[in-house]
Amino acid sequence: MPLVRYRKVVILGYRSVGKTSLAHQFVEGEFSEGYDPTVENTYSKIVTLGKDEFHLHLVDTAGQDEYSILPYSFIIGVHGYVLVYSVTSLHSFQVIESLYQKLHEGHGKTRVPVVLVGNKADLSPEREVQAVEGKKLAESWGATFMESSARENQLTQGIFTKVIQEIARVENSYGQE
Ligand code: GDP
């Protein structure tokens, strides 16, 4: 029987960037237009990658801003993060930088497995953040960057596959030190 590995992943970002929509699309395979500000929600899904199976425990959070204090439960026992901004909101992108700094400090300035996501890429005419800016920011952390739309199932699945791979990549890099 394959070993099922447990992975806890927290989704963080400013409000209304699409955190809940991405989690919902990933778990339920559908998109809904309505906006329902999340308090905090958790989801579980088994993800198969090649021969490996992962029990992914997702925590969808209420939106943060630059003044938010991240609770310990967002740090302790968390394997990786999906940091989401909306490509239609420069402010949501600026908030991400301060969130990352808090995570990095919370993890004792070690490398944190992160996938940075520029969501709402389907709303291109309203774009305030270029893909190259997201890419540059993720590179400065040694993290992965993707643009997405919670309307698109394939793109959304890709985010959560990526974060599992990113966790493995960071774990393996420690093994080699
Ligand atoms: P959260 O507060 O970050 O969890 O944001 P929600 O998931 O509740 O989304 C906020 C609003 O943006 C809702 O009306 C969603 O339908 C909409 N939304 C979320 N993701 C996308 C996306 O990728 N494209 C478009 N066009 N709308 C989106």
Side-chain angles (χ1 to χ4, degrees):
M1 255 195 16
L3 180 69
V4 180
R5 273 171 274 186
Y6 175 76
R7 295 287 185 255
K8 183 171 177 182
V9 169
V10 176
I11 310 173
L12 297 172
Y14 193 55
R15 63 177 172 264
S16 194
V17 295
K19 299 180 297 301
T20 302
S21 301
L22 289 169
H24 190 78
Q25 176 64 268
F26 173 61
V27 177
E28 308 289 344
E30 60 182 22
F31 175 78
S32 52
E33 291 287 347
Y35 177 48
D36 173 21
T38 312
V39 179
E40 189 172 311
N41 234 324
T42 61
Y43 302 83
S44 275
K45 186 168 169 171
I46 300 290
V47 180
T48 307
L49 285 183
K51 287 195 213 124
D52 299 321
E53 278 203 65
F54 298 89
H55 173 189
L56 183 59
H57 178 85
L58 268 188
V59 182
D60 175 23
T61 63
Q64 298 81 35
D65 60 27
E66 53 275 63
Y67 309 109
S68 300
I69 295 169
L70 298 184
Y72 283 125
S73 60
F74 289 1
I75 305 284
I76 308 295
V78 178
H79 299 97
Y81 299 87
V82 175
L83 299 189
V84 186
Y85 66 92
S86 166
V87 302
T88 63
S89 160
L90 180 59
H91 183 64
S92 73
F93 184 64
Q94 291 162 341
V95 164
I96 287 293
E97 255 193 289
S98 73
L99 281 179
Y100 177 81
Q101 292 313 328
K102 286 173 197 173
L103 285 181
H104 191 53
E105 277 173 28
H107 282 274
K109 302 204 171 172
T110 56
R111 215 159 126 206
V112 187
V114 165
V115 175
L116 175 65
V117 175
N119 192 41
K120 305 198 186 182
D122 56 295
L123 298 178
S124 248
E126 295 160 47
R127 191 182 269 277
E128 291 185 0
V129 186
Q130 298 304 321
V132 64
E133 297 174 74
K135 190 163 178 271
K136 231 167 64 187
L137 184 60
E139 273 173 10
S140 74
W141 307 332
T144 299
F145 170 70
M146 300 173 71
E147 283 201 345
S148 72
S149 163
R151 290 174 174 277
E152 298 269 342
N153 187 264
Q154 290 285 77
L155 280 175
T156 307
Q157 299 292 330
I159 294 169
F160 297 95
T161 305
K162 206 66 199 173
V163 73
I164 291 173
Q165 290 168 336
E166 198 60 25
I167 293 165
R169 193 166 73 91
V170 172
E171 277 179 356
N172 291 339
S173 72
Y174 285 131
Q176 285 159 11
E177 274 170 10

